Amino acid sequence: MKIPFLDLKATNSIYQKQFVEVFSQKIESGWYVLGEDVILFEKKFAAYCGVKHCIGVANGLDALILILKAYNFPPHAEILVPANTYIATILAITNVGLRPVLVEPLLDTYLINPKAIEQHITPNTKAILLTHLYGKCCDIQPIRAIADKHGLKIFEDAAQAHGASYLNKKAGSLSDAAGFSFYPSKNLGALGDGGAITTNNDEIAAKIRGLRNYGSSQKYIFDQQGINSRLDEIQAAFLNLKLEKLDEENAYRRYLAKLYLSNIKHSAIVLPPHQTIEDDAWHLFVVRCAQRDQLKAYLAEKGVGTDIHYPVAPHQQKAFEHWNTLHLPITEQIHQEVLSLPLNTALSVQEIEYIIDVINQF
């Protein structure tokens, strides 16, 4: 049996007829940027997340950049960020001239360790940028208490958390502002790049709407120095279709995750945290194994595609050479041991059962 890690053609096949229809409609409309479908998506996604505002942008990185630009922190201000995250979270900070400060995660959840945050706070610290990694929300309550104590803003990198919840509140509504990605592989994925920002702050929302459009809130009038980062009409139209099925698709991901969790029985495999299984979006199903590379090769021989999220920690990347001497043992262990198994809406129960059998024989 051959099971790819992810087949986007297969996951999008149920939408193909509708995609063709809305694509034709958008061509005929003659309006391709910041039109009615973007407005509709922003309204629908804001309601879905339980916030007042959604602003569509070009991608997830831009979403985080625009949040940080809108808050206008002093140059070189410090932003606390998990050491175990995708590099975009950190690039957003450096691209606006701010200083990322890496905070170790918890080994059992892969998420930022709330107890490690306070020791990194200095007079220059202005915000905490969290990552809801793999579809699981960070533990916001203790983080909020710390932020309130020190007068810090909290932002969410929710690029992997569409539909995830924390104490009955959706990702995207848990902080001062949140950035989403609609990269094709996401739980809510477009057919190209796309992103959005969610917030309840009227002033920040208005500012970001201008910033995404060169700094203009009125045609040819520029009150800010912005960038060109707009969710296009075609991607918004696709996302409007897919948003209707997001909860249904997340429920199927959760069902498959439960099959893995109940049936993988191998002493060398550490299963992902599942205390909040009903709240998590299960963007990825990530196991840990001390023999990760051997496990990956073994699964490939058996026809099972896997991926590593992520093989090299941010502080060990050449792009951040000044961090290469840092020793962050928990982050490093995670990056050395994690392996993502197939988990998407195109998979059948039979394929999941095959993967489970193969893993149990490792």
Side-chain angles (χ1 to χ4, degrees):
M1 187 179 289
K2 286 284 187 182
I3 304 174
F5 176 70
L6 178 61
D7 181 347
L8 288 173
K9 181 179 178 181
T11 59
N12 283 310
S13 61
I14 63 169
Y15 301 101
Q16 186 166 342
K17 183 178 179 181
Q18 292 172 289
F19 284 162
V20 172
E21 289 174 356
V22 298
F23 184 73
S24 297
Q25 290 168 6
K26 296 319 300 181
I27 292 174
E28 290 295 323
S29 75
W31 195 307
Y32 310 127
V33 177
L34 296 184
E36 60 184 16
D37 269 296
V38 169
I39 293 170
L40 177 61
F41 176 74
E42 290 176 340
K43 180 179 179 180
K44 289 170 64 175
F45 196 61
Y48 179 82
C49 293
V51 296
K52 292 169 66 175
H53 304 285
C54 170
I55 305 100
V57 296
N59 55 69
L61 174 57
D62 281 1
L64 298 177
I65 287 173
L66 287 167
I67 289 169
L68 294 170
K69 283 178 69 71
Y71 276 86
N72 197 30
F73 296 120
H76 311 299
E78 296 171 356
I79 310 295
L80 306 189
V81 64
N84 178 45
T85 186
Y86 184 57
I87 199 169
T89 322
I90 297 168
L91 289 174
I93 299 169
T94 58
N95 279 341
V96 294
L98 303 177
R99 180 172 174 256
V101 176
L102 303 180
V103 181
E104 281 266 63
L106 291 163
L107 184 60
D108 60 342
T109 67
Y110 312 128
L111 304 175
I112 194 168
N113 182 354
K115 293 181 179 179
I117 289 174
E118 201 156 15
Q119 64 188 353
H120 293 283
I121 295 174
T122 75
N124 293 323
T125 307
K126 300 300 179 185
I128 307 168
L129 175 52
L130 307 172
T131 302
H132 300 319
L133 200 64
Y134 308 149
K136 183 179 184 63
C137 289
C138 295
D139 190 4
I140 295 291
Q141 276 193 327
I143 297 171
R144 171 60 66 191
I146 293 168
D148 289 346
K149 176 182 175 182
H150 294 276
L152 306 179
K153 299 296 182 183
I154 299 178
F155 306 127
E156 301 163 72
D157 180 345
Q160 300 183 11
H162 314 75
S165 298
Y166 177 88
L167 298 180
N168 297 315
K169 293 183 68 176
K170 286 280 200 303
S173 70
L174 303 171
S175 65
D176 295 284
F180 286 87
S181 167
F182 304 121
Y183 187 75
S185 63
K186 305 300 184 186
N187 290 35
L188 181 61
L191 270 67
D193 277 316
I197 296 154
T198 56
T199 183
N200 283 312
N201 188 311
D202 298 342
E203 181 181 350
I204 290 297
K207 193 170 185 180
I208 290 171
R209 289 189 189 281
L211 285 170
R212 72 169 174 185
N213 192 30
Y214 300 101
S216 171
S217 54
Q218 181 182 348
K219 193 172 183 180
Y220 301 137
I221 304 298
F222 304 94
D223 300 319
Q224 311 171 73
Q225 295 182 31
I227 62 175
N228 176 18
S229 180
R230 301 170 298 204
L231 179 65
D232 71 66
E233 277 288 288
I234 290 174
Q235 298 304 336
F238 294 155
L239 289 168
N240 278 323
L241 291 173
K242 297 185 74 174
L243 181 57
E244 298 297 325
K245 287 186 173 291
L246 177 57
D247 284 342
E248 179 184 332
E249 294 193 355
N250 279 352
Y252 186 65
R253 287 174 176 268
R254 193 172 299 117
Y255 170 66
L256 298 182
K258 288 178 180 179
L259 291 178
Y260 276 142
L261 291 166
S262 299
N263 295 289
I264 293 177
K265 309 287 185 183
H266 196 296
S267 59
I269 307 296
V270 179
L271 295 171
H274 50 279
Q275 295 85 351
T276 56
I277 187 169
E278 299 296 336
D279 295 326
D280 301 345
W282 294 99
H283 172 59
L284 294 168
F285 191 92
V286 180
V287 301
R288 282 200 350 262
C289 179
Q291 299 84 39
R292 189 264 311 281
D293 293 342
Q294 294 96 312
L295 176 61
K296 182 175 176 60
Y298 164 77
L299 289 171
E301 290 175 4
K302 300 295 184 179
V304 178
T306 59
D307 205 345
I308 301 172
H309 297 91
Y310 301 95
V312 182
H315 72 280
Q316 296 177 321
Q317 299 280 357
K318 185 177 180 181
F320 296 112
E321 284 184 313
H322 60 289
W323 282 340
N324 287 174
T325 57
L326 286 180
H327 180 45
L328 300 172
I330 299 173
T331 296
E332 289 160 19
Q333 181 179 350
I334 289 170
H335 285 255
Q336 290 162 6
E337 295 183 352
V338 290
L339 186 67
S340 300
L341 304 181
L343 182 68
N344 58 76
T345 55
L347 291 167
S348 68
V349 171
Q350 291 73 25
E351 288 173 316
I352 296 295
E353 289 173 342
Y354 173 79
I355 296 169
I356 291 167
D357 288 341
V358 168
I359 287 175
N360 285 340
Q361 295 172 42
F362 174 59

